[in-house]
Amino acid sequence: MIRERALEDVLRAWGLELGRVREDIPIAGSPDRCEFRTVVEDRDGNLFVLESVRRVDIERKRGMARALAFLAGRGLSAVRPYMAAGDDEYVPIRNGAFWLLSHYIDGVPLARPEYAFEGWRGPALAEFLTDLRDRARDARLYDSAPGFSIVSFIRDLARTVETREPLLYLRVRPALVHLEQDLAAAHDRLPVRFCHGDYHPLNVIWSERAVRAVIDWEFMGIRPELFDAAMMVGCLGMEDPRSLTGDLVLSFIERLKARSAGAPDSWAHFFDLVLALRFAWLADWLKRSDAGMIELEAVYIALLLDNRGTLVRAWEV
C-alpha cells in the first residue's frame, strides 16, 4: 500500500490537496490495466480514481488519454477523460512512478445474470456505439489506435494451443475451421472504424436507466465496424446463453440496424465475429491459467457454433 504522504505529493501534480484515501469505494473495470489504483478524495470532497502506470505502457496510455480528451471534447458524454497535469501531460512522474487521474463515477450495480434479459438496456448500449461512431468520424485518433486482426490473432493462438493444449485444440477445432472458411477471407475487406475494443457489460457504468460511462479503453483501435457490437453480444451470452435471443440482445441489434451501424457485409459476418472474439477471451483465460474459465469458454464456443442457424435467424443477419 502506498502511503498517504506519497499520494499527497502525487495529487499536487494536478493542483489538488489530498483529503483522504477511500479504500472503501470499489472501482469498476479491470485492475490489470495498471500497477496500482485507488479512489482518493480531495479537500473539497471530490472523488478521483488515481492509477500508477507501468513504464512500458506510458506512451500507449498517453495516446489513450489524448483520444479520450478528443472524444469528450466532441461531446461523447459517456467518456471519462483523464485529467491533464499540465500542457497535454496526462502521465506525470512523481515518486519514481507514472500516474493517471480521472473523476470517479458512481453507478448502479448490475444484477447478474438477470440484467442480460432487460430489454431497455439494448438501445442504450447501441446508442453509445452510434454516438462513438459519429464523434470519432474524421478524428485523428489513428496514431494512438493501431489496427488489429482477430483472424491473425486466432491463427497464432491456434498454433500455440495445438502444441501446448492438444485436447483443448480438438474441442475448439470445429470453430476454428468454420472461422477460417467463413471469416478469414472477408475480414480484411469489412468496413472499419474507431472502436472501444473491449465493449462488454462490466466496462459500462450505469445510471438507473442509461449508460453513464464507458471505461477501460486500453484496447481501442481501428477494427471491423461491428467489432464492439459483437463483443457485447458474446459477453451477454456468456452471462446466460439464453440471453442471446432475449430482449436485450435483440433490441440492441435492432437499434444498431435502425441507426445504420453496419454495412450489409458486416452484418453477414456478425455471427462469425461474435464467435471469433470468444478466442480473445480464451487466450486471456489461458494466460491466467484459469482452468474453470477455460472449460466454460470451450463449452460456450461449441454452443455458439452448434446454434449458429438459430442465432442468425433470431438476429436477422
Side-chain angles (χ1 to χ4, degrees):
M1 177 62 188
I2 298 177
R3 294 181 178 180
E4 287 195 13
R5 182 171 296 179
L7 295 180
E8 287 177 355
D9 183 57
V10 172
L11 285 180
R12 290 192 189 102
W14 288 271
L16 298 173
E17 292 188 41
L18 178 65
R20 55 176 172 157
V21 178
R22 297 296 304 271
E23 295 179 6
D24 58 309
I25 297 179
I27 305 173
S30 173
D32 297 339
R33 308 287 186 248
C34 57
E35 287 187 313
F36 163 82
R37 65 179 189 173
T38 190
V39 176
V40 294
E41 182 178 325
D42 71 4
R43 291 292 179 87
D44 296 323
N46 301 305
L47 297 175
F48 304 89
V49 177
L50 181 65
E51 312 169 35
S52 65
V53 179
R54 300 176 184 91
R55 184 179 292 273
V56 296
D57 294 333
I58 292 171
E59 289 308 313
R60 183 167 57 86
K61 293 283 189 177
R62 283 178 175 148
M64 181 181 70
R66 288 192 292 268
L68 295 183
F70 177 90
L71 292 171
R74 277 207 168 180
L76 189 62
S77 59
V79 167
R80 184 184 68 184
Y82 291 100
M83 299 170 60
D87 294 336
D88 200 32
E89 180 49 79
Y90 291 97
V91 193
I93 182 170
R94 288 292 188 278
N95 298 320
F98 300 86
W99 301 90
L100 281 166
L101 188 73
S102 60
H103 287 281
Y104 173 80
I105 299 176
D106 194 13
V108 177
L110 290 173
R112 302 176 66 185
E114 293 84 357
Y115 82 90
F117 297 89
E118 295 172 345
W120 66 268
R121 297 184 190 270
L125 291 168
E127 287 297 325
F128 169 78
L129 291 185
T130 56
D131 285 350
L132 174 61
R133 173 199 63 188
D134 295 343
R135 301 301 190 273
R137 186 171 286 145
D138 302 322
R140 295 183 61 84
L141 299 172
Y142 295 84
D143 291 343
S144 59
F148 170 76
S149 170
I150 187 63
V151 170
S152 296
F153 179 88
I154 289 173
R155 286 170 175 166
D156 290 342
L157 176 66
R159 286 190 287 269
T160 300
V161 172
E162 185 177 16
T163 301
R164 300 180 182 177
E165 302 282 349
L167 295 180
L168 175 61
Y169 176 79
L170 290 176
R171 294 178 66 185
V172 299
R173 187 175 183 277
L176 293 170
V177 171
H178 171 84
L179 291 171
E180 193 64 40
Q181 293 174 343
D182 285 44
L183 181 63
H187 179 271
D188 291 345
R189 300 196 302 269
L190 296 177
V192 298
R193 66 174 177 83
F194 181 80
C195 293
H196 177 278
D198 198 20
Y199 192 54
H200 65 78
L202 299 186
N203 280 341
V204 177
I205 297 177
W206 291 90
S207 64
E208 288 291 344
R209 298 291 292 184
V211 170
R212 190 170 188 191
V214 176
I215 59 174
D216 281 9
W217 290 75
E218 277 76 9
F219 296 106
M220 68 179 189
I222 308 306
R223 311 278 188 268
E225 61 183 346
L226 293 180
F227 188 100
D228 284 340
M231 176 69 77
M232 179 60 70
V233 168
C235 289
L236 287 165
M238 191 63 156
E239 288 279 17
D240 188 323
R242 294 173 299 174
S243 71
L244 290 167
T245 55
D247 288 345
L248 195 166
V249 168
L250 296 185
S251 63
F252 175 62
I253 293 173
E254 181 181 15
R255 180 60 63 89
L256 287 172
K257 290 179 179 177
R259 293 288 303 274
S260 302
D265 282 352
S266 296
W267 285 112
H269 291 283
F270 183 68
F271 169 83
D272 300 331
L273 201 52
V274 172
L275 179 64
L277 288 173
R278 298 319 305 174
F279 282 91
W281 287 94
L282 179 61
D284 192 49
W285 308 136
L286 287 165
K287 182 179 179 181
R288 299 168 187 264
S289 299
D290 190 328
M293 291 306 299
I294 292 169
E295 171 64 21
L296 188 59
E297 197 67 64
V299 170
Y300 185 43
I301 287 170
L303 182 149
L304 285 171
L305 186 60
D306 289 345
N307 288 275
R308 176 179 180 273
T310 299
L311 296 174
V312 167
R313 287 190 295 272
W315 300 341
E316 297 182 357
V317 296

